[in-house]
């Protein structure tokens, strides 16, 4: 499968595309230096570089995201192993428990956090 970067227009607002997800994902955190959108098969990926960490939010409306897909995405985007990142597979439940309902019905939502080593 191919990992494809989705081009962003300068006027794209993630809060419009993913209203409740981004409120929870970006709430009370450091500013975003770089933002990208990717697609891997039917999984949408939000890539947010926050200077000291890189966060990935994996979204799939059709099915659960497999362990192998998560490993492939981590390896291709972050160029590290799974042991070097924090994978939150219960992120969808965490959002629902916070009282937020995504605009669309997602079968699986996974958050990945990578702390960038200081050089």
């Amino acid at each position: 499968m191919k990992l494809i970067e989705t081009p962003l227009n300068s006027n794209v607002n993630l809060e419009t595309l993913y209203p409740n997800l981004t409120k929870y994902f970006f709430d009370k955190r450091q500013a975003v230096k770089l933002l990208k959108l990717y697609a891997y098969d039917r999984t949408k990926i939000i890539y947010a570089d926050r200077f000291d960490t890189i966060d990935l939010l994996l979204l799939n409306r059709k099915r659960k995201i497999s362990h192998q897909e998560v490993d492939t995405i981590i390896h291709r985007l972050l160029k590290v192993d799974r042991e070097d990142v924090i994978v939150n597979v219960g992120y969808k439940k965490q959002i629902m428990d916070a009282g937020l309902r995504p605009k669309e019905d997602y079968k699986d939502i996974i958050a990945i956090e990578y702390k960038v080593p200081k050089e």
Side-chain angles (χ1 to χ4, degrees):
M1 285 181 255
K2 291 185 178 182
L3 182 68
I4 301 168
E5 184 176 351
T6 306
L8 284 174
N9 296 334
S10 60
N11 61 350
V12 166
N13 185 352
L14 268 185
E15 197 167 336
T16 305
L17 292 173
Y18 307 103
N20 291 332
L21 292 175
T22 53
K23 280 181 193 172
Y24 192 77
F25 190 59
F26 294 125
D27 192 30
K28 299 175 188 157
R29 293 201 184 172
Q30 187 176 1
V32 175
K33 175 172 76 171
L34 176 67
L35 188 65
K36 292 183 179 183
L37 293 175
Y38 290 93
Y40 182 74
D41 190 24
R42 293 186 182 263
T43 303
K44 294 179 185 177
I45 304 160
I46 300 173
Y47 176 102
D49 186 347
R50 302 178 183 271
F51 297 96
D52 60 343
T53 62
I54 296 174
D55 294 317
L56 302 177
L57 191 61
L58 285 55
L59 312 161
N60 196 315
R61 282 193 255 158
K62 301 291 182 190
R63 59 178 171 75
K64 290 279 200 183
I65 301 169
S66 71
H67 188 83
Q68 184 180 3
E69 280 181 290
V70 173
D71 288 345
T72 303
I73 291 167
I74 290 169
H75 183 70
R76 287 190 185 175
L77 287 180
L78 301 175
K79 310 273 191 269
V80 296
D81 294 324
R82 190 181 182 114
E83 296 81 33
D84 300 328
V85 299
I86 300 167
V87 179
N88 184 353
V89 292
Y91 196 73
K92 180 180 178 184
K93 184 180 182 327
Q94 197 175 331
I95 290 172
M96 298 298 196
D97 291 345
L100 298 172
R101 300 278 180 244
K103 188 168 90 172
E104 299 178 26
D105 185 35
Y106 291 99
K107 295 285 183 191
D108 204 7
I109 302 172
I110 296 176
I112 299 170
E113 182 178 334
Y114 172 62
K115 298 204 183 296
V116 179
K118 295 183 180 177
E119 295 176 7

